Amino acid sequence: MPHPDQPLTNDDDEEPLLSEEDEDLLDWATMTTVYAAGYIRILADAIERGDAELQVDPVAWENTLTAAEGAMVEQMRGRLHGPTAITAEDIERMRRLRELGSAALSGGERSPELGPLALRSMGSLFGPDWQRAAQKAAFCARALNQEFHPRSCT
């Protein structure tokens, strides 16, 4: 057994815990969920404050929330596991949130449904500790947005 300060290694005789494909899927789903929660938090906070600038790039929103829906489908099918059990209603809620957010980001209506829907969607992604997770995710999403879309951030 290795010393506690030594990293765990996988001996050549042992099978990996996850296949490379499953590991890639898990990495993709993790990053998707983090950035989706970040963008959801940023958008919901900006709408709640009444900000003129919603601080999320519309293309990043659309792509990330579409990917989050896909990750939720994979979780519902049993290929992924997360902190909550995803249902078809959770996926439909995320789809509705994506649509309402896209409308708001394109200068359309800022639906009063968006805020409560955002909160329920983050709860679906992270469970009861969604607030802390969403704050950290928003930090990551702002950093990513600044790197790729510097003019869309404040």
Side-chain angles (χ1 to χ4, degrees), residues 63-112:
N63 290 341
T64 304
L65 267 69
T66 298
E69 289 171 32
M72 293 170 83
V73 167
E74 292 300 323
Q75 187 176 340
M76 196 172 87
R77 290 180 180 159
R79 286 198 65 206
L80 295 169
H81 300 283
T84 62
I86 298 296
T87 65
E89 292 80 24
D90 295 325
I91 295 167
E92 184 55 39
R93 189 178 306 114
M94 184 64 72
R95 185 172 295 125
R96 178 81 176 134
L97 177 62
R98 178 178 47 83
E99 292 167 355
L100 291 174
S102 291
L105 289 166
S106 66
E109 178 189 6
R110 295 181 181 194
S111 171

Side-chain angles (χ1 to χ4, degrees), residues 33-47:
T33 302
V34 167
Y35 287 111
Y39 289 142
I40 292 167
R41 180 66 187 242
I42 292 167
L43 182 65
D45 288 349
I47 288 175

Side-chain angles (χ1 to χ4, degrees), residues 16-149:
L17 295 175
L18 292 174
S19 70
E20 190 174 327
E21 180 183 339
D22 287 344
E23 191 172 319
D24 289 345
L25 178 64
L26 182 59
D27 288 346
W28 167 78
T30 300
M31 295 310 295
T32 293
T33 302
V34 167
Y35 287 111
Y39 289 142
I40 292 167
R41 180 66 187 242
I42 292 167
L43 182 65
D45 288 349
I47 288 175
E48 184 178 307
R49 288 188 307 264
D51 295 356
E53 172 62 42
L54 296 179
Q55 304 174 21
V56 177
D57 180 77
V59 174
W61 172 268
E62 185 69 29
N63 290 341
T64 304
L65 267 69
T66 298
E69 289 171 32
M72 293 170 83
V73 167
E74 292 300 323
Q75 187 176 340
M76 196 172 87
R77 290 180 180 159
R79 286 198 65 206
L80 295 169
H81 300 283
T84 62
I86 298 296
T87 65
E89 292 80 24
D90 295 325
I91 295 167
E92 184 55 39
R93 189 178 306 114
M94 184 64 72
R95 185 172 295 125
R96 178 81 176 134
L97 177 62
R98 178 178 47 83
E99 292 167 355
L100 291 174
S102 291
L105 289 166
S106 66
E109 178 189 6
R110 295 181 181 194
S111 171
E113 181 185 358
L114 207 143
L117 200 55
L119 299 180
R120 294 222 30 221
S121 295
M122 287 189 287
S124 295
L125 293 173
F126 290 104
D129 197 23
W130 67 263
Q131 288 179 313
R132 186 171 60 87
Q135 286 176 332
K136 291 181 179 190
F139 176 80
C140 293
R142 281 187 184 97
L144 182 73
N145 224 22
Q146 182 62 36
E147 183 176 338
F148 290 102
H149 309 286

